[in-house]
Structures are given as C-alpha cells and as structure tokens.
Amino acid sequence: RLTDLHKGADAGSPWKRLIDATSILLMLISLTGLILWVALPRRLKLGLVCVAAALGAGVGLYLLVP
C-alpha cells in the first residue's frame, strides 16, 4: 500500500532514520516560517487567521477521515 511507503514499513533502519530526520527538518522549517510571519506587525492578524483555519481544517480532517 502507498501508506506503507509513507510510514517506512519494510524499510531498513537507515531509511526510517532518514524519514524521521526529514520530518523533523520540515517541522522546524514550518515553525520558523510561522514565527517570522507572526512577527510582522502588519501581517499578524492574517497570520493568526490562517493558523486558525489550518488547525481547524486539520482537526476536521482528522475527525472526518476514518
């Protein structure tokens, strides 16, 4: 299944570490971008609205998709 590839099922230990390292790097990049966006006074309101919408969409998808 395609989800097995995403999870690293049947992959060796080095491949699983690469997947984990990549996910950590992507989270750090996203977090720094979010901090920079919210730090701009003119874009603070838009940034908070977008964060709220993204969180709502994520929670909604989590609850709707089995």
Side-chain angles (χ1 to χ4, degrees), residues 1-12 15-16 18-20:
R1 295 179 61 171
L2 192 56
T3 56
D4 291 340
L5 177 64
H6 182 75
K7 293 176 187 176
D10 299 327
W15 184 252
K16 288 182 181 182
L18 179 66
I19 292 171
D20 291 341

Side-chain angles (χ1 to χ4, degrees), residues 21-63:
T22 303
S23 66
I24 291 169
L25 181 65
L26 287 172
M27 285 190 293
L28 287 174
I29 290 170
S30 299
L31 183 61
T32 58
L34 181 64
I35 290 169
L36 288 172
W37 190 7
V38 172
L40 295 172
R42 289 189 339 210
R43 301 200 182 201
L44 177 63
K45 189 175 181 179
L46 176 63
L48 293 176
V49 169
C50 288
V51 168
L55 285 173
V59 170
L61 285 173
Y62 178 76
L63 294 175

